[in-house]
Amino acid sequence: MEEMRRPKRGRPPKPREVDYADFMEEDDDAAGLAPPHTKRKRAASAAAAASLEDQPLIDIIKHNGRLISHAVKKLVEDYESNKNSVIFQILAMLFEACGAKHEIYPDYLHESDVDDIVLSLVDLARKGLVEDNYSTKQKDLKHFKENLVIFWDSLVLECQNGPLFDDTLFQKIKDYVIALSCTPPRVYRQVASLVGLQLVTSFISVAKILSGQRETTQRQLNAEKKKQSDGPLVESLNNRLALTHENITYLEDLMRKIFSGLFMHRYRDVDPEIRMSCIKSLGIWVVSYPSLFLQDIYLKYLGWTLNDKNAGVRRTSILALQSLYEVDDNIPSLGLFTERFYSRMIQLADDIDVSVAVSAIGLIKQLLRHQLLSDDDLGPLYDLLIDEPPMIRRAIGELVYDHLIAQNIKTSQPGARDGENEPSEVHIGRMLQILREFSEDPVLSSYVIDDIWDDMKAMRDWRCMISVLLDENPGIELTDMDGTNLVRMLHASAKKAVGERIIPAMDNRKLYYNKGQKETLENSKREITSAFLTRYPHLLRKYMSDKAKISPLVDMMVLLKLEMYSFKRQETHFKAAIDLITDAFFKHGEKDALRSCIKAITFCCTECQADLKDYAENKLKNLEDELVLKVKTAIKEVERLYELQLSKPVKNDSLFEDMYRILSHLRDMDNEVKSFLLLNMYLQVAWCLHVIDGENPSETSIDELLSKQSSLFDQLYYYLVVLPTYQKEGRSTTVLSCRVCIITVEMWCLFKKSKYSSTRLESLGYLPQVDMVQKFWKLCEQQLNISDEDANEEYIEDTNRDAVMIAAAKLVLADTIPKDYLGPEIVSHYASHGASTTEIIKHLITSLKKNADFDMGALFYEALRRLYERYMTQVNDGENQTLISKSYSECQDLAIRLARSYVGAARTKNKSEILKIIQDGVSFAFADLPNQLSFLEAALLPFVSKLASADIPDILADVEKRTRDANMNEDQSVWRPYFTFVEHLREKHAKNEVLQGRRRKSL
């Protein structure tokens, strides 16, 4: 230990110019700070002070926290008479709190440099001479951290009347705390970080007191100056104001130094607990002292730690931000921070850690309250409504209710809930708008209802929902889809109200309820039954023929308290409901509807009493009898069909012919069966071709294959003509259309004429007529456009759309048919149907470019022209403005995408193609003036920037010549696309001239 005691002269502290003790004694009362202790108080604390004599400071913090305040007061009292001794006691306690078993003496500490002392302490840790007070599990040290924080807070507050500003004590403490926080031993960093962070928090407390004092002094000074501009009182106030400001500046300088020396290193410490402490403290500082810390140079650390690998740190950062956004006055200063980090805040709503995700959703609610997020930013959050962890779903459900249904989150007051006072039908209408997004899948709708149910009282307003379904409420006009969603919501909400699950449970445990909960559920069941007593038959009667609504309506029967029909003397309505459920059983053939009807009638047979039970049992018996009779009748019809087949000669030796006949004669059978039959017919044709001997084929096998080929083409061409006008809606129609398109392509490729020319199988070669190719593409387009044209009624999977596009592209690439028609048609849909379809067409274009003989310019121009013609058709047909605008945007998007093909070397290599596109486009635009002038702007502008410099004057001359020959006396607004196009040409030409001038000058 000799080297530790080696004397070394340290740098003397910088003297302060102002005597703080004198100032504080003079202005204690005016400053509002704690006055010096009176003799009475000192006498009262004598007993406590006596107990301090034999206890080291570290023992008080470890085991006797109630003596901390007395210990701190004694330290401050002793400081004026013996500064070095008090400094040694405090720093020695700091070292011992870190766990260092040191033998440092006051003289050595006073004379040595901070770095030397800290290095000696690190050496002790390297030798194992350290105890971990911070993370210990010892029972007698459970209050260690709390007491340590109290000590430093008490010390700062007790020193605010002088020692805090003497530029010695806390400068020394600050240097050691920062140095220890940067050492390798983790326990040193943990304790030093805790102390340093608390020091800043305590400094803020004092700075806030001084700030209040400064404001008071400033007001007094302003008032006094109105009375007299000069004088001893004004001078005294000026001196006090300057000194108070100087003290605040001094404290803020200490805070900055601890921030830069400690926080900026420890917020990314390997220990997540240290990182959490830093972020938690920063959140407190920003809220409590925004004049210094509410700046982007400090806020950015809260944003960066949103990406921390530790979930606890991420959650701490989110909670700190929540405390910031809770204060309305902070919002203007948080603008840039929000813009920079809001996307990460939204991402955290889907964090892998549930607690982080739930906290992030709470933060997003605050952003919404201050209108710092747009509705478009919330898109990814809505997917979390069907997430698995219930806590996340509930948090998102609360957000959705507040923001979209109650719409009270935008009010200026955080606690205001204006939406609660709105009528139920308003909330129901908004809920139906949300459910439209999930209407294709009842399971997803159930998740959404389950998430929002607890917050939305309107979902338990049974009478309101029934009146809306019966069109008795003029405030809501239901579409068919809304009606279906409302029926589902009514049924799901009723199940929740009586204690049943509406979504699968993760653990499948049975639900148990206590006595109070059971009474609540029974009351809910009574309320539902009371609302349904007289209205249930009306609902069943109105929606009897609707297969989507009848099943959940019938399911409502098992949720009712059936004895109330007898108590309320409403037997007539019960019998009417049973009769209607029986009628629904025979009217609908879907599995869900049949099961619902049987379940409801069976439930009535077991739960009803007396006459109502007898009536339900009779209904069930009559239903059984009628069903048996219908089955016997159906069997007789099958026997008659068999007799008819016996009397008519039918070939049974070929399954292919049987399938062909079924498709030809039973046009009304299920579309999925048709798809299956067509697929099997194609497979048989393919197998027949496979087994033919290509070198020496028999005439019989060729004739048989030709017959099957012709038969299958007959069926495929029939559906190519019929399906585009097919009125039956649903997924099965889409499947059939997709199957017909794909099989047609496979057949055309299988029997491609060029493949069999000059061979013994030349008779098998087949080239479809142009009209059939056009009908094929019309059906393909129908599949591509289903989701756009009839999204509320048709269903199409992305895979079906992609399969159709891949099949069409295959025809072009395989040279099965001439590319002149189908190639441009496919490319014209480049930007119209989502990412996957775009990728398919992109690969097609890339493959065609590899063929040096293929005219890509002609392909691009034709694609642009055909898409523009579809746009003009919508304009001429008077389509709604939204569709017209969308179609025009698609023209622009296609032009931009195609123009991007000519970049770099491709632009120079294919400059003739670019020129040809522009020339043909100009000719087309001027062919029908002024109707087609918009083609210049919609389709050609992106290619102007690709033109070679030498070609621009010729294009300009051509356009201006056409303009002189045209009549421009019409409304100038219709010529706007022309002026825009010419302006771009001239700008491009001018830029080229400037560049060429610079090149000549440089040469």
Side-chain angles (χ1 to χ4, degrees), residues 363-385:
L363 176 59
I364 291 168
K365 285 174 59 180
Q366 291 181 316
L367 296 179
L368 288 170
R369 177 169 67 86
H370 294 291
Q371 301 182 30
L372 297 175
L373 293 180
S374 66
D375 288 343
D376 293 339
D377 297 323
L378 300 179
L381 292 183
Y382 296 146
D383 295 336
L384 301 179
L385 284 168

Side-chain angles (χ1 to χ4, degrees), residues 645-656:
Q645 290 179 353
L646 288 178
S647 62
K648 180 182 178 181
V650 178
K651 294 181 180 180
N652 297 320
D653 57 345
S654 174
L655 178 61
F656 185 94

Side-chain angles (χ1 to χ4, degrees), residues 54 68 78 249 331 396 477 483 655 800 845 962:
D54 299 328
I68 288 177
D78 295 344
T249 304
I331 302 306
I396 289 291
E477 185 175 344
L655 178 61
N800 288 346
I845 293 172
R962 292 175 185 272

Side-chain angles (χ1 to χ4, degrees), residues 645 648-667 669 677-678 680-682 684-685 688 700 703-712 714-715:
Q645 290 179 353
K648 180 182 178 181
V650 178
K651 294 181 180 180
N652 297 320
D653 57 345
S654 174
L655 178 61
F656 185 94
E657 293 176 4
D658 291 338
M659 290 188 290
Y660 176 82
R661 185 169 53 255
I662 291 171
L663 285 171
S664 300
H665 295 97
L666 301 179
R667 298 294 188 189
M669 67 179 173
L677 292 175
L678 287 171
N680 279 277
M681 290 174 70
Y682 163 72
Q684 284 215 11
V685 171
C688 287
T700 304
D703 291 339
E704 180 182 351
L705 181 55
L706 284 172
S707 174
K708 292 183 177 180
Q709 180 199 70
S710 176
S711 298
L712 182 52
D714 285 345
Q715 293 298 326

Side-chain angles (χ1 to χ4, degrees), residues 6 47 177 180 282 359 443 491 531 657 659 928:
R6 180 174 58 86
V177 167
L180 286 168
L282 179 58
S359 299
V443 175
H491 177 236
E657 293 176 4
M659 290 188 290
D928 183 10

Side-chain angles (χ1 to χ4, degrees), residues 689 702 705-706 709 713 747-748 750-757 759-768:
L689 177 61
I702 291 178
L705 181 55
L706 284 172
Q709 180 199 70
F713 274 131
M747 285 291 290
W748 286 347
L750 196 63
F751 295 102
K752 184 171 70 171
K753 196 171 185 68
S754 60
K755 185 164 64 174
Y756 299 101
S757 60
T759 67
R760 293 176 178 267
L761 301 177
E762 187 169 8
S763 58
L764 295 177
Y766 183 85
L767 181 65

Side-chain angles (χ1 to χ4, degrees), residues 173-240:
I173 292 171
K174 178 258 299 179
D175 292 342
Y176 276 100
V177 167
I178 291 175
L180 286 168
S181 71
C182 298
T183 56
R186 178 170 298 196
V187 66
Y188 288 4
R189 298 198 313 276
Q190 288 173 332
V191 173
S193 299
L194 180 66
V195 172
L197 297 173
Q198 180 56 44
L199 283 174
V200 175
T201 304
S202 301
F203 291 159
I204 288 173
S205 300
V206 176
K208 289 171 70 176
I209 294 173
L210 292 174
S211 296
Q213 173 186 332
R214 181 171 59 182
E215 292 177 5
T216 302
T217 305
Q218 184 66 60
R219 285 196 302 270
Q220 292 174 348
L221 179 61
N222 293 340
E224 194 61 32
K225 282 183 176 180
K226 291 180 181 178
K227 301 176 185 177
Q228 54 181 0
S229 59
D230 214 351
L233 184 55
V234 171
E235 183 180 357
S236 174
L237 289 171
N238 272 321
N239 292 337
R240 182 189 304 172

Side-chain angles (χ1 to χ4, degrees), residues 712-942:
L712 182 52
F713 274 131
D714 285 345
Q715 293 298 326
L716 292 172
Y717 290 168
Y718 167 82
Y719 288 111
L720 287 178
V721 174
V722 170
L723 283 174
T725 59
Y726 203 58
Q727 296 301 312
K728 185 176 180 181
E729 300 166 350
R731 182 179 182 277
S732 61
T733 304
T734 301
V735 172
L736 177 59
S737 299
C738 179
R739 188 70 69 192
V740 167
C741 291
I742 294 173
I743 295 175
T744 301
V745 169
E746 294 300 327
M747 285 291 290
W748 286 347
C749 291
L750 196 63
F751 295 102
K752 184 171 70 171
K753 196 171 185 68
S754 60
K755 185 164 64 174
Y756 299 101
S757 60
S758 304
T759 67
R760 293 176 178 267
L761 301 177
E762 187 169 8
S763 58
L764 295 177
Y766 183 85
L767 181 65
Q769 299 296 318
V770 175
D771 63 329
M772 274 302 153
V773 176
Q774 292 173 345
K775 289 182 173 63
F776 159 78
W777 180 244
K778 183 178 180 181
L779 184 58
C780 289
E781 278 190 316
Q782 186 187 63
Q783 302 311 297
L784 295 173
N785 294 327
I786 280 178
S787 59
D788 297 326
E789 295 175 355
D790 210 5
N792 292 336
E793 298 178 4
E794 290 286 347
Y795 173 87
I796 182 170
E797 298 176 359
D798 287 340
T799 51
N800 288 346
R801 185 189 294 111
D802 294 347
V804 168
M805 185 58 77
I806 290 171
K810 181 178 179 179
L811 285 177
V812 176
L813 287 176
D815 284 327
T816 305
I817 58 174
K819 300 182 177 71
D820 301 341
Y821 171 77
L822 193 55
E825 287 290 350
I826 294 173
V827 175
S828 71
H829 288 265
Y830 195 2
S832 304
H833 305 292
S836 56
T837 305
T838 298
E839 277 301 306
I840 294 168
I841 299 176
K842 181 179 178 181
H843 285 298
L844 170 64
I845 293 172
T846 303
S847 300
L848 290 174
K849 284 181 180 178
K850 296 177 181 178
N851 185 352
D853 298 329
F854 188 74
D855 188 355
M856 294 299 297
L859 174 70
F860 288 172
Y861 164 72
E862 275 298 310
L864 290 166
R865 185 181 65 81
R866 293 184 192 183
L867 180 56
Y868 179 81
E869 287 176 347
R870 292 202 295 272
Y871 157 73
M872 290 302 297
T873 301
Q874 291 183 340
V875 173
N876 296 331
D877 291 346
E879 294 283 352
N880 69 64
Q881 196 59 41
T882 302
L883 286 177
I884 293 174
S885 298
K886 181 181 178 184
S887 182
Y888 189 81
S889 297
E890 288 177 357
C891 292
Q892 293 176 313
D893 290 345
L894 177 63
I896 292 170
R897 288 176 184 270
L898 296 182
R900 287 175 184 164
S901 301
Y902 301 110
V903 294
R907 175 183 172 185
T908 305
K909 179 181 178 182
N910 302 297
K911 62 181 182 179
S912 60
E913 289 183 9
I914 301 171
L915 178 62
K916 188 71 166 59
I917 292 172
I918 296 287
Q919 290 174 337
D920 291 347
V922 170
S923 300
F924 174 75
F926 281 85
D928 183 10
L929 289 176
N931 297 329
Q932 294 179 176
L933 274 177
S934 57
F935 185 77
L936 296 172
E937 186 178 34
L940 297 186
L941 279 187

